[in-house]
Amino acid sequence: MATQKAASKEAGEERDHSAEGFFSTYANLLSIEARIAWDNIVARQISTAPWTDLKGKKHPIAQAKTKKSFDECVTHHLLTVFTIDSAERQKYYINNIF
């Protein structure tokens, strides 16, 4: 039982370390202006309670850094740069302009 708890704790620490790698690597690839926006998004979404997801739902429990939370933060960050309907605009442009 003790070895299972130790293995579980070690796996959790490994997961946390890997998730931190996602966040820091992405942040290091950004320009200074984009990095400021990224840091603000992460501060509002991670380890903060309550936080609001992309669909507008409020969550009372703070969220940890995970692959899922990283993906949500990246989506949020991309929406600060691109409009939500950019794919539809591109489709319209291709279908109607060419």
Side-chain angles (χ1 to χ4, degrees):
M1 184 73 150
T3 57
Q4 290 175 338
K5 286 185 180 182
S8 177
K9 182 178 179 181
E10 185 177 325
E13 290 172 357
E14 182 77 24
R15 182 198 66 225
D16 295 343
H17 179 70
S18 297
E20 182 60 41
F22 294 142
F23 284 85
S24 62
T25 300
Y26 185 82
N28 289 335
L29 295 173
L30 299 172
S31 67
I32 293 171
E33 296 83 16
R35 175 84 183 251
I36 292 169
W38 171 253
D39 290 340
N40 288 336
I41 290 166
V42 172
R44 286 192 313 258
Q45 299 293 316
I46 306 298
S47 302
T48 303
W51 61 277
T52 306
D53 64 18
L54 290 170
K55 296 178 181 173
K57 182 178 178 187
K58 289 198 176 212
H59 300 271
I61 299 172
Q63 118 175 280
K65 287 185 176 179
T66 62
K67 176 67 168 91
K68 181 181 177 190
S69 65
F70 170 75
D71 290 341
E72 291 173 358
C73 286
V74 168
T75 301
H76 192 114
H77 186 249
L78 291 175
L79 288 173
T80 64
V81 178
F82 303 108
T83 60
I84 198 160
D85 65 341
S86 59
E88 288 82 10
R89 287 183 185 185
Q90 184 178 19
K91 181 181 175 183
Y92 174 82
Y93 178 78
I94 290 171
N95 289 334
N96 296 311
I97 304 300
F98 288 125

